[in-house]
């Protein structure tokens, strides 16, 4: 069925007991040895790193993105599986998806139970990811987990411990895995891929600030003072905060900081309904609403816009494009910022 390259990055699927807790330390070969390989599939392993995903940096994520592109430069490769920690899997998968312009799949997977667990979920997830990589086409970057296939865009970790750890709370999954096959239920909506960014010496700083009752603009202003070029405001409800935070957002955007507006609510879109500090005013102050994308993926969209160009107007366009906004001809990012 195909030649699949497994890129191993660590996570619980590669974690063992360290005396005081679990941590990633296994190589890709050891992770791969736990799983059954679907018939007709041949596997090659790229050992990229072995870290738990809360420790990943932008540099790690861009290294992974470039590795995916290098692997796919070989026309003999049929697909890629990335083994990854589940904590920030949604961020890395979305980054790769934003820049993925190839019918061959890149399938992320991981585990909730460690490498040596007798009843672990890693081996089954890895088998399913290999099957998905070998038998699907044209679906973009995917997450295969607990017998389900999700599109990278919109999918988040929804369970801290349970095996059924991923879903898009605002959307549907793409497929199911069972009885040796993948059933594809729908085609995901994906904007034209962004051009591959260079790996900068120092990645732009993109901070997240969460709103809550009694919050003031101190942390948002501190992010700007710390040199943030992008900020994700994780607002309440459909995207609301306070008049003082609106003022801080206006001041940040007037200084060229890209501000994205998402919500701490699990599902549903950010929507301009309320004034007096609500989304109506935050958007008027220059914040870009992120639809149904949640904080981690909103941050990746901001990061990709910052990496694409230094031009503030183009950054705004690239961000809206990455968020999947329907853009008019006038609002399209410059041709060199998207893949042909
Ligand atoms: N709990 C995480 C995992 O599933 C730890 C990590 O993200 O590395 O892998």
């Amino acid at each position: 069925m195909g030649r699949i390259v497994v890129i191993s990055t660590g996570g619980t699927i590669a974690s063992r007991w360290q005396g005081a807790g679990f941590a990633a330390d296994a190589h890709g070969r050891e992770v791969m040895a736990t799983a059954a390989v679907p018939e007709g599939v041949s596997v090659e392993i790229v050992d990229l790193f072995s870290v738990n995903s809360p420790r990943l940096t932008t540099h790690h994520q861009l290294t992974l993105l470039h590795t995916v592109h290098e692997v796919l430069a070989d026309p003999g490769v049929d697909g890629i599986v990335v083994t990854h920690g589940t904590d920030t899997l949604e961020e890395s998968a979305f980054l790769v998806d934003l820049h993925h312009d190839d019918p061959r799949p890149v399938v992320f997977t991981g585990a909730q139970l460690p490498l040596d667990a007798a009843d672990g979920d890693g081996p089954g997830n890895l088998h399913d990811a290999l099957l998905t990589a070998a038998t699907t086409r044209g679906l973009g970057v995917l997450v295969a987990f607990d017998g389900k296939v999700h599109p990278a865009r919109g999918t988040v970790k929804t369970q801290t411990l349970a095996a059924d750890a991923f879903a898009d709370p605002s959307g549907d999954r793409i497929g199911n895995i069972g009885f040796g096959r993948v059933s594809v239920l729908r085609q995901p909506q994906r904007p034209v891929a962004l051009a591959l960014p260079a790996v900068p010496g120092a990645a732009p700083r993109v901070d997240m600030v969460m709103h809550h009752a009694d919050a003031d603009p101190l942390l948002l202003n501190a992010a700007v003072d710390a040199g943030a070029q992008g900020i994700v405001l994780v607002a309440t409800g459909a995207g609301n905060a306070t008049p003082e935070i609106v003022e801080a957002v206006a001041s940040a955007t007037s200084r060229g900081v890209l501000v994205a507006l998402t919500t701490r609510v699990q599902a549903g879109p950010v929507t301009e309904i309320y004034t007096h500090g609500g989304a109506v005013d935050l958007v008027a102050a220059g914040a870009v609403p992120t639809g149904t994308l949640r904080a981690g993926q909103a941050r990746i969209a901001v990061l990709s816009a910052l990496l694409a160009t230094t031009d503030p107007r183009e950054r705004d366009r690239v961000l809206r494009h990455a968020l999947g906004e329907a853009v008019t001809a006038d609002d399209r990012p410059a041709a060199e910022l998207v893949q042909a």
Side-chain angles (χ1 to χ4, degrees):
M1 283 193 295
R3 187 176 147 213
I4 306 300
V5 175
V6 175
I7 303 176
S8 176
T9 72
T12 295
I13 197 167
S15 289
R16 283 188 280 238
W17 183 248
Q18 306 293 322
F22 289 91
D25 73 357
H27 292 292
R29 198 165 308 283
E30 293 171 89
V31 174
M32 203 47 242
T34 65
V37 177
E39 214 179 304
V41 171
S42 72
V43 171
E44 289 153 46
I45 296 163
V46 174
D47 254 312
L48 200 55
F49 17 82
S50 189
V51 290
N52 287 105
S53 70
R55 297 179 59 195
L56 289 180
T57 61
T58 299
H59 190 266
H60 283 116
Q61 291 176 315
L62 290 173
T63 303
L64 171 60
L65 173 64
H66 277 262
T67 304
V68 165
H69 282 246
E70 282 157 24
V71 169
L72 291 176
D74 178 349
V77 170
D78 294 300
I80 293 180
V81 168
V82 179
T83 56
H84 197 289
T86 55
D87 287 6
T88 63
L89 186 151
E90 67 212 45
E91 299 175 36
S92 300
F94 187 52
L95 178 69
V96 177
D97 191 53
L98 280 178
H99 299 273
H100 185 66
D101 182 28
D102 196 300
R104 292 171 292 176
V106 179
V107 185
F108 280 70
T109 197
Q112 290 283 58
L113 292 172
L115 182 73
D116 295 335
D119 54 349
D121 55 340
N125 284 342
L126 185 46
H127 167 275
D128 288 353
L130 290 168
L131 188 68
T132 307
T135 60
T136 64
R137 283 287 173 280
L139 300 173
V141 176
L142 302 170
V143 180
F145 219 93
D146 197 42
K148 301 173 186 75
V149 185
H150 307 276
R153 175 180 292 270
T155 291
V156 293
K157 187 171 183 182
T158 54
Q159 294 282 345
T160 54
L161 303 176
D164 187 8
F166 287 91
D168 176 353
S170 306
D172 297 321
R173 64 176 174 270
I174 274 189
N176 296 314
I177 309 160
F179 301 102
R181 60 186 293 265
V182 180
S183 316
V184 176
L185 307 170
R186 68 180 181 90
Q187 191 72 26
Q189 297 278 320
R190 301 172 62 238
V192 172
L194 298 174
L196 188 65
V199 182
R205 182 179 182 102
V206 185
D207 288 319
M208 279 185 201
V209 180
M210 186 183 279
H211 186 52
H212 53 84
D214 203 38
D216 64 21
L218 186 137
L219 291 178
L220 204 148
N221 290 332
V224 176
D225 292 344
Q229 294 181 49
I231 294 175
V232 177
L233 175 58
V234 188
T236 52
N240 308 309
T242 66
E244 294 73 24
I245 289 176
V246 170
E247 228 174 87
V249 167
S251 151
T253 56
S254 72
R255 290 166 68 174
V257 177
L258 207 48
V259 178
L261 177 63
T262 184
T263 170
R264 45 182 244 195
V265 179
Q266 195 191 11
V270 166
T271 309
E272 291 155 68
I273 302 172
Y274 296 99
T275 184
H276 295 181
V280 170
D281 306 335
L282 289 163
V283 171
V288 179
T290 62
T292 59
L293 285 195
R294 291 317 190 246
Q297 294 194 338
R299 183 179 173 281
I300 291 294
V302 170
L303 179 69
S304 286
L306 295 174
L307 291 170
T309 170
T310 52
D311 179 307
R313 202 175 147 79
E314 284 298 335
R315 282 182 163 174
D316 188 82
R317 286 181 175 163
V318 173
L319 174 58
R320 291 175 192 278
H321 176 87
L323 293 169
E325 259 185 34
V327 283
T328 64
D330 284 348
D331 288 336
R332 251 177 233 139
E336 67 273 18
L337 303 179
V338 291
Q339 294 189 34

